[in-house]
């Protein structure tokens, strides 16, 4: 039995994994849903929820043969759900491992997966899942409640060092099996995001891993050379630096698949990826904005432009123990007013992004633009700095009480777009009389300094928001050390709205609370939101099936509906 624990080792492992949600600006592995889709009420407190016959797990008739080939420039770290943290690993892991709940790729509502139904207590603290009958692992062993308890207890064990550790131990009090087909979760507090964030985690087999010591799970070959799941595909072969081969699971609980094999093909360069699309050796891939124009010229290839959950932003150091340069909100507002973000979107993303007029991403069901909108206005920016006491010095750099308005902007300079955006930011702020020094580091160095040390003045980052609109990870004062509130922004109003939204069961009520939260953040500007880059997908016309949405790209949802056209 895997026990629990609460040591700093587990919390650090979880925090390091959280920072992987901070993106290095790679386009290969993004995610999100349609904000206009009608919701489906799967979970009403106090009532049992069952899968509606009108919305079963999607399936398509089985056909002989057929292969879907996805192309990408990066490679997953692992497929083991206990340890997946980067977007690509999480997406490909979902081909092999199922969770209790899945996220509908259109509505973003929770829907049955390994659990065929669930009910929620009146106080929202207890979730009881009723497991689907007849589910078997890829090795033929029966799936049961013991596997669910084993998985969550492993993730909540600090000795395992799972990236899920902090979020789970802060929100889940206990997981227990009532019988072989029923699992009960007791939460620390009511959490409306639970079903689409924590109940979707992939379940691993107790019979395959119970004999492994907790601290040795991270180095186990499980998830690398071997894997046993309940998902639509089983892992057949992983040739590092080349390809990963998956084969359909004939006993999949979601019904027969339309394709025999799924392949993730690793390409060496953007040119190689475009060449593979042109030659027809891959069926689909995510694209960088710089690749779109050429991809549009390829016959038989369709380009999908999707709203995303990704946000590019500048985080500012608000911890008074480290810096007071940005303590006055007028300085932060002046920094924002110096930026022509529309021009930046056109230049650096080739128009394939939305200006971030808020922090709620366009792909979210809670999306709405903020009423507080910033547009480039140098005169207004200069006036705000003057009012804040920052006046031009003899060398042109603004000073206040003898202190120059001078800081360092850090980012990962090994990414060309990130470097270009940083240079544009510096030029824009220099026009106000602000001295900014660039600090270009490798992505691993940025992660180290941001997460472990908080050693920065301002840092240019990207973040992929969860499907659920809860933004506690970046704005809550509880997220200084176990989240990504790296600038130590603290607002009692924002904390209260975030908590109210987690306790609310109604989507409309939650959306309104998040809109209010967004207004506070956009007025306070603890970070400077720049853009929401689009998800860009190149798809061969040979690939038919379900609508491609950002959630589908994010977690390969409804892959069972994809149909590769097989030649005669």
């Amino acid at each position: 039995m895997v026990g629990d624990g609460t040591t700093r080792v587990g919390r650090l492992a979880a925090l390091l994994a959280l920072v992987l949600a901070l993106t290095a600006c790679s386009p290969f592995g993004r995610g999100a849903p349609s904000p206009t889709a009608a919701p489906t009420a799967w979970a009403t407190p106090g009532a049992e929820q069952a899968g509606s016959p009108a919305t079963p797990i999607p399936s398509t008739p089985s056909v002989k043969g057929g292969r879907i080939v996805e192309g990408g420039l990066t490679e997953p770290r692992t497929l083991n759900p206990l340890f997946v943290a980067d977007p690509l690993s999480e997406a490909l892991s979902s081909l092999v491992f199922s969770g209790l709940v899945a996220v509908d790729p259109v509505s973003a509502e929770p829907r049955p997966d390994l659990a065929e139904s669930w009910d929620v207590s009146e106080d929202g603290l207890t979730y009881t899942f009723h497991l689907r009958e007849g589910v078997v692992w890829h090795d033929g062993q029966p799936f049961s409640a013991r596997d669910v308890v084993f998985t969550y207890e492993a993730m909540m064990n600090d000795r395992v060092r799972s990236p899920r550790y902090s979020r789970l131990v802060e929100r889940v009090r206990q997981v227990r099996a009532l019988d072989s087909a029923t699992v009960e979760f007791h939460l620390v507090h009511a959490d409306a995001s639970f079903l689409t964030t924590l109940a979707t985690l992939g379940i691993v087999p107790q019979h395959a891993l119970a004999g492994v010591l907790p601290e040795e799970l991270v180095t186990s070959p499980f998830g690398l050379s071997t894997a046993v799941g309940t998902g639509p595909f089983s892992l057949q072969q992983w040739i590092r630096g080349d390809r990963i081969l998956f084969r359909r699971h004939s006993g999949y609980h979601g019904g027969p698949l339309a394709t025999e094999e799924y392949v993730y093909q690793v390409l060496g360069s953007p040119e190689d990826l475009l060449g593979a699309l042109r030659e027809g050796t891959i069926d689909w891939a995510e694209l960088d904005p710089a690749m779109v124009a050429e991809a549009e010229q390829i016959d038989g290839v369709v380009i999908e432009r999707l709203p995303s959950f990704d946000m590019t932003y500048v985080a500012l150091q608000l911890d008074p123990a480290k810096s007071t340069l940005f303590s006055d909100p007028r300085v932060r507002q002046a920094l924002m007013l110096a930026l022509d973000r529309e021009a930046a979107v056109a230049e650096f993303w080739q128009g394939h992004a939305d200006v971030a007029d808020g922090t709620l991403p366009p792909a979210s069901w809670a999306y709405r633009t903020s009423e507080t909108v910033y547009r480039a206005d140098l005169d207004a920016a200069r006036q705000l700095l003057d009012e804040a006491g920052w006046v031009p010095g003899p060398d042109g750099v603004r000073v206040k009480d003898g202190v120059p308005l001078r800081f360092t902007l850090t980012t990962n300079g090994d990414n060309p777009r990130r470097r270009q955006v940083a240079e544009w930011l510096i030029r824009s702020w220099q026009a106000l009389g602000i001295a900014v020094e660039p600090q270009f580091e490798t992505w691993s160095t940025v992660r180290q300094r941001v997460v472990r040390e908080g050693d920065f003045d301002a840092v240019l980052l990207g973040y992929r928001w969860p499907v659920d609109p809860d933004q506690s990870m970046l704005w809550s004062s509880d997220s200084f050390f176990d989240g990504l509130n790296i600038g130590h922004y603290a607002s009692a109003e924002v904390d209260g709205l975030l908590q109210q939204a987690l306790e609310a069961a109604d989507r409309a009520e939650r959306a309104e609370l998040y809109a209010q939260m967004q207004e506070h953040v956009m007025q306070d500007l603890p970070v400077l939101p720049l853009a929401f880059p689009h998800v860009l997908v190149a798809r061969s016309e040979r690939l038919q099936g379900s609508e491609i949405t950002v959630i589908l790209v994010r977690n390969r949802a409804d892959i069972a509906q994809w149909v590769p056209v097989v030649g005669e």
Side-chain angles (χ1 to χ4, degrees):
M1 189 94 170
V2 179
D4 65 359
T6 55
T7 71
R8 178 171 173 79
V9 174
R11 301 178 83 84
L12 181 57
L15 186 55
L16 288 174
L18 276 176
V19 83
L20 290 174
L22 296 172
T23 63
C25 213
S26 166
F28 306 101
R30 304 180 188 268
S34 165
T36 59
T40 303
W42 284 116
T44 301
E48 181 172 334
Q49 304 301 319
S52 166
T55 53
I57 294 179
S59 62
T60 54
S62 177
V63 299
K64 293 183 178 180
R67 166 185 285 195
I68 296 173
V69 182
E70 173 188 352
L73 300 183
T74 58
E75 192 166 15
R77 293 176 174 85
T78 180
L79 301 180
N80 187 341
L82 301 180
F83 301 107
V84 292
D86 63 286
L88 181 60
S89 294
E90 189 162 6
L92 295 181
S93 176
S94 68
L95 298 177
V96 179
F97 299 94
S98 300
L100 292 171
V101 174
V103 178
D104 186 279
V106 176
S107 69
E109 286 278 7
R111 70 182 187 195
D113 198 349
L114 290 175
E116 64 181 358
S117 65
W118 54 85
D119 52 89
V120 188
S121 63
E122 289 287 353
D123 59 8
L125 294 177
T126 303
Y127 285 72
T128 305
F129 292 91
H130 308 284
L131 305 184
R132 192 178 298 274
E133 295 182 1
V135 176
V136 295
W137 294 96
H138 295 156
D139 61 5
Q141 295 295 312
F143 161 77
S144 77
R146 291 189 301 274
D147 299 304
V148 179
V149 174
F150 174 83
T151 299
Y152 280 89
E153 286 189 342
M155 293 178 182
M156 296 170 68
N157 183 345
D158 66 305
R159 293 165 61 198
V160 173
R161 290 174 290 166
S162 170
R164 319 291 191 189
Y165 174 83
S166 286
R167 189 166 178 84
L168 280 168
V169 297
E170 289 169 0
R171 302 200 176 202
V172 178
R173 191 180 305 279
Q174 182 186 36
V175 184
R176 64 182 185 136
L178 301 185
D179 55 47
S180 64
T182 313
V183 181
E184 189 173 79
F185 284 71
H186 295 275
L187 306 188
V188 174
H189 53 71
D191 183 355
S193 72
F194 173 73
L195 286 173
T196 56
T197 56
L198 300 182
T200 57
L201 304 180
I203 304 300
V204 298
Q206 181 189 38
H207 69 270
L209 296 175
V212 182
L213 291 174
E215 50 275 317
E216 294 179 359
L217 284 168
V218 70
T219 57
S220 166
F222 188 87
L224 296 172
S225 58
T226 65
V228 178
T230 56
F233 292 92
S234 62
L235 174 64
Q236 294 297 306
Q237 184 182 49
W238 188 341
I239 302 175
R240 288 284 172 175
D242 183 16
R243 65 182 181 276
I244 307 174
L245 172 62
F246 305 91
R247 185 160 292 141
R248 67 180 172 191
H249 173 34
S250 59
Y252 178 50
H253 57 274
L257 277 65
T259 183
E260 179 70 26
E261 294 178 340
Y262 191 95
V263 179
Y264 180 79
Q265 184 70 52
V266 182
L267 286 308
S269 68
E271 293 74 22
D272 290 340
L273 191 148
L274 289 168
L277 282 170
R278 189 176 293 106
E279 295 164 7
T281 56
I282 63 174
D283 296 301
W284 78 282
E286 286 194 67
L287 301 178
D288 183 86
M291 301 165 66
V292 172
E294 185 172 346
E296 287 177 328
Q297 305 306 312
I298 301 175
D299 291 338
V301 170
V302 177
I303 307 300
E304 308 273 0
R305 297 167 175 82
L306 307 171
S308 82
F309 284 129
D310 293 351
M311 182 176 75
T312 300
Y313 67 103
V314 177
L316 303 172
Q317 183 61 264
L318 301 181
D319 184 351
K322 296 180 178 179
S323 175
T324 58
L325 283 180
F326 309 116
S327 59
D328 191 324
R330 290 172 294 186
V331 173
R332 305 195 292 270
Q333 292 164 1
L335 292 174
M336 186 66 124
L337 288 169
L339 305 177
D340 187 345
R341 293 176 296 154
E342 289 89 346
V345 163
E347 181 176 357
F348 305 122
W349 286 276
Q350 290 75 49
H352 300 299
D354 297 311
V355 170
D357 288 328
T359 65
L360 294 169
S364 174
W365 55 260
Y367 171 70
R368 68 176 73 176
T369 58
S370 171
E371 294 179 7
T372 303
V373 176
Y374 297 87
R375 288 294 179 265
D377 189 334
L378 289 178
D379 290 338
R382 293 187 182 102
Q383 182 176 344
L384 283 170
L385 291 174
D386 290 341
E387 292 173 358
W390 292 97
V391 297
D395 61 354
V397 176
R398 289 179 179 266
V399 295
K400 180 179 181 180
D401 299 329
V403 177
L405 187 49
R406 183 189 308 274
F407 62 89
T408 298
L409 175 66
T410 304
T411 195
N412 55 311
D414 49 357
N415 181 280
R417 179 175 296 108
R418 196 62 62 80
R419 178 183 284 267
Q420 292 169 357
V421 172
E423 291 170 345
W424 161 73
L425 289 167
I426 291 170
R427 292 193 303 271
S428 300
W429 292 331
Q430 285 175 339
L432 294 179
I434 301 173
V436 186
E437 293 293 328
Q439 188 168 56
F440 296 125
E441 306 281 4
T442 64
W443 177 235
S444 60
T445 300
V446 172
R447 288 188 306 183
Q448 165 74 13
R449 293 181 58 189
V450 166
V451 177
R452 290 188 175 179
E453 303 167 14
D455 180 16
F456 69 94
D457 296 328
V459 58
L460 173 62
L461 295 169
Y463 181 66
R464 179 170 292 115
W465 291 110
V467 172
D468 187 88
D470 175 38
Q471 297 197 342
S472 300
M473 194 61 66
L474 260 68
W475 315 132
S476 171
S477 57
D478 289 335
S479 296
F480 285 179
F481 304 107
D482 291 327
L484 295 175
N485 187 351
I486 58 175
H488 287 202
Y489 168 62
S491 165
E493 292 81 8
V494 169
D495 284 348
L497 289 166
L498 287 169
Q499 188 58 43
Q500 289 178 55
L502 282 177
E503 294 173 353
D506 179 69
R507 262 197 176 189
E509 181 182 356
R510 293 189 73 203
E512 178 57 36
L513 289 167
Y514 287 127
Q516 295 176 37
M517 175 276 300
Q518 177 177 246
E519 288 304 316
H520 282 285
V521 171
M522 290 302 291
Q523 290 169 16
D524 292 344
L525 285 182
V527 308
L528 310 179
L530 302 180
F532 294 115
H534 298 160
V535 172
L536 304 167
V537 175
R539 174 182 60 83
S540 169
E541 292 178 345
R542 297 189 309 273
L543 190 61
Q544 302 176 2
S546 59
E547 174 189 357
I548 293 185
T549 69
V550 185
I551 289 183
L552 186 149
V553 175
R554 181 181 185 128
N555 61 16
R556 308 307 188 263
D558 287 2
I559 202 75
Q561 287 190 336
W562 289 22
V563 182
V565 177
V566 182
E568 297 296 326

